[in-house]
Amino acid sequence: MRKNIIDRRNAEYSPLIDDFKDEVKDLNFKGITGPHFPSIGECYEDAKYKFAFCGMETYGWNKMPYFMEQKPDSYLTESDTLLNNYEHLTWAANWHATFWGFVFKFLAKFYKMEFEKLVNDKNDFNARSLLKSFVWANSNAIERYDVTSKWEGADQAAWESVKSASKRFDDINHILNSCDPKVVFIIYGGANEEYMLNEKTISDIYGIDPNQRKGWLRLRHNNPKYDYIYLRSTSTHIFHLPHPTWMGLYSGIGIDAYVDSLIQDIENYHIWDKLPNSNDDWNMNMVDEVEPSTIDFKYRLIASVAHSLVQNNVVMCGGDMVRLFNMNGIHTQRGSDYSNNISQGSYKPISSAWAYYYNRGDYQTAYEIARAFVNQNGEYAYE
């Protein structure tokens, strides 16, 4: 049976924690802040739109002696409880130039909800659910020395050893492997490239050999400035943004302009088929979603490809369509890959899609499928 997300997160980080503890056990921990790990809201598992918000670091967290005494599962779930108890509503000094200001403004705008209602209405079920519908993480598990540890009298050499050992945690793939968010916001312009693009630590559940090819695409957004990165191996969409303080105080446009641009990009890049019409749409159980290997999804994909081909007056070999299926993990009804042997029915999904639209009376779509796909000799396959 598939583990739930909390169990998967704990299984991902527990071995890393054990190794970390073993490496640093002989150090002087006086005054050193302990590590922060990704926190999962209790509504995340049911959320249709799965987001992870990754900041720079915490500002005062548990102390290392306390961390060393805790079992990994217990320590990991402590910050989950903080989210579920809405403690994060008290952490923002303001709403216009802070990490939590960005998070809450994005959620309000994305789900078409009034910001004041989201952060203040304790009786609205959807508002309370949205506030615990995401993953919260930091790209640095251990804070910088000058943030807290220095003022707590920590020995800098000991802190540096702890910080070095904690680098094993600073890898976004640990979040992807366990929580599988669709969209990740890295809200810290100085985030290490290795944090975002380390393909060596992708879980084998994705079935990808990272040594075969570069598995990511980067696009630069200039107004406002941020990077969009698509990780092909995990189908993850990353937005690498400036720190919220810069967005809010120094960008000249404010956090709201960034939020508007990000939502527009989410729509433009077709990250989801549909964006929410209201805050009622947060729960996946309330929204119909077609699985990639279902017949409906395949027919819709074939029709979409055919429409684009006809618009551009080009054709595609039917065998290339089933290779596209295989490349994207879209399987036959038996759960297997499609055959690449053209003599063994590689055209069957296309002919079935043609018949489906024709029998429904959607002759335009059937025509486009017939026109768009040809056989290995470049001849039209359907008459």
Side-chain angles (χ1 to χ4, degrees):
M1 184 171 128
R2 183 176 170 83
K3 294 180 178 178
N4 66 37
I5 288 175
I6 298 293
D7 288 342
R8 296 205 309 269
R9 187 272 315 274
N10 292 359
E12 178 79 19
Y13 281 94
S14 289
L16 300 173
I17 290 173
D18 289 339
D19 291 343
F20 171 77
K21 286 183 174 181
D22 188 60
E23 183 175 343
V24 303
K25 60 186 178 183
D26 296 325
L27 296 173
N28 175 14
F29 298 129
K30 179 182 180 298
I32 299 179
T33 304
H36 174 265
F37 298 98
S39 309
I40 303 171
E42 64 185 7
C43 293
Y44 178 76
E45 188 127 29
D46 289 333
K48 177 186 178 185
Y49 305 96
K50 286 186 164 52
F51 295 106
F53 296 91
C54 300
M56 178 182 177
E57 60 191 354
T58 51
Y59 288 88
W61 200 242
N62 295 313
K63 296 296 187 286
M64 276 295 294
Y66 173 79
F67 164 75
M68 295 295 288
E69 294 172 355
Q70 302 301 307
K71 293 182 178 180
D73 281 12
S74 175
Y75 188 86
L76 285 164
T77 55
E78 282 188 10
S79 57
D80 300 340
T81 302
L82 294 175
L83 279 187
N84 296 330
N85 290 340
Y86 310 109
E87 293 290 332
H88 51 323
L89 284 170
T90 68
W91 292 341
N94 59 68
W95 297 129
H96 64 271
T98 59
F99 173 84
W100 291 108
F102 172 87
V103 172
F104 298 146
K105 284 190 172 187
F106 175 86
L107 291 173
K109 183 64 71 72
F110 184 79
Y111 286 102
K112 298 179 171 62
M113 190 175 204
E114 292 182 11
F115 177 79
E116 293 298 327
K117 186 175 184 63
L118 176 66
V119 298
N120 292 322
D121 193 336
K122 297 180 180 180
N123 298 314
D124 188 285
F125 172 78
N126 287 328
R128 295 288 100 174
S129 298
L130 293 179
L131 292 172
K132 49 188 180 180
S133 67
F134 55 85
V135 173
W136 164 45
N138 284 288
S139 55
N140 293 277
I142 297 288
E143 301 168 6
R144 289 168 296 165
Y145 179 68
D146 291 347
V147 174
T148 303
S149 297
K150 177 181 178 179
W151 314 110
E152 296 288 336
D155 176 73
Q156 186 166 1
W159 174 87
E160 288 174 353
S161 295
V162 169
K163 178 68 172 177
S164 177
S166 75
K167 292 296 185 182
R168 55 172 48 85
F169 305 132
D170 298 341
D171 183 341
I172 199 173
N173 287 329
H174 297 313
I175 300 173
L176 305 187
N177 292 340
S178 55
C179 303
D180 195 25
K182 187 77 168 178
V183 172
V184 179
F185 297 105
I186 300 177
I187 314 165
Y188 166 44
N192 193 298
E193 188 93 343
E194 188 73 1
Y195 175 77
M196 299 180 287
L197 302 175
N198 180 12
E199 295 187 312
K200 295 178 181 178
T201 53
I202 294 174
S203 170
D204 58 9
I205 65 172
Y206 295 104
I208 299 294
D209 179 359
N211 296 315
Q212 291 180 356
R213 61 185 181 276
K214 184 173 75 173
W216 48 270
L217 165 72
R218 189 203 305 263
L219 300 176
R220 181 63 51 86
H221 195 285
N222 288 319
N223 187 26
K225 291 185 176 181
Y226 55 81
D227 283 354
Y228 162 78
I229 302 169
Y230 176 65
L231 304 182
R232 180 170 56 184
S233 301
T234 58
S235 298
T236 308
H237 304 261
I238 296 175
F239 292 94
H240 184 200
L241 301 156
H243 192 281
T245 300
W246 190 90
M247 282 192 264
L249 299 181
Y250 306 111
S251 68
I253 56 175
I255 283 178
D256 291 284
Y258 277 85
V259 167
D260 290 341
S261 180
L262 291 165
I263 293 174
Q264 186 62 57
D265 278 353
I266 288 171
E267 184 173 8
N268 291 343
Y269 297 152
H270 302 289
I271 293 175
W272 285 284
D273 286 343
K274 297 178 181 177
L275 298 190
N277 292 314
S278 73
N279 54 76
D280 290 324
D281 292 340
W282 74 268
N283 192 323
M284 72 167 63
N285 297 321
M286 302 177 186
V287 183
D288 293 330
E289 191 167 61
V290 180
E291 290 295 322
S293 290
T294 61
I295 291 174
D296 286 346
F297 181 89
K298 294 172 193 172
Y299 288 171
R300 189 176 65 186
L301 179 58
I302 290 169
S304 176
V305 171
H307 179 70
S308 180
L309 292 170
V310 169
Q311 277 193 319
N312 291 281
N313 198 30
V314 294
V315 295
M316 174 187 284
C317 179
D320 291 331
M321 189 70 212
V322 296
R323 280 188 281 275
L324 184 148
F325 283 169
N326 290 339
M327 182 180 296
N328 290 279
I330 301 170
H331 302 300
T332 68
Q333 299 309 109
R334 298 188 302 275
S336 60
D337 284 351
Y338 282 92
S339 171
N340 287 319
N341 188 334
I342 60 172
S343 65
Q344 295 183 13
S346 63
Y347 290 90
K348 181 64 176 175
I350 299 170
S351 61
S352 296
W354 176 88
Y356 168 77
Y357 287 107
Y358 186 87
N359 292 332
R360 287 182 59 189
D362 186 350
Y363 302 120
Q364 178 63 32
T365 300
Y367 160 77
E368 289 179 346
I369 293 172
R371 177 176 161 183
F373 295 102
V374 297
N375 62 24
Q376 69 273 24
N377 299 318
E379 302 166 338
Y380 285 111
Y382 312 102
E383 296 179 356

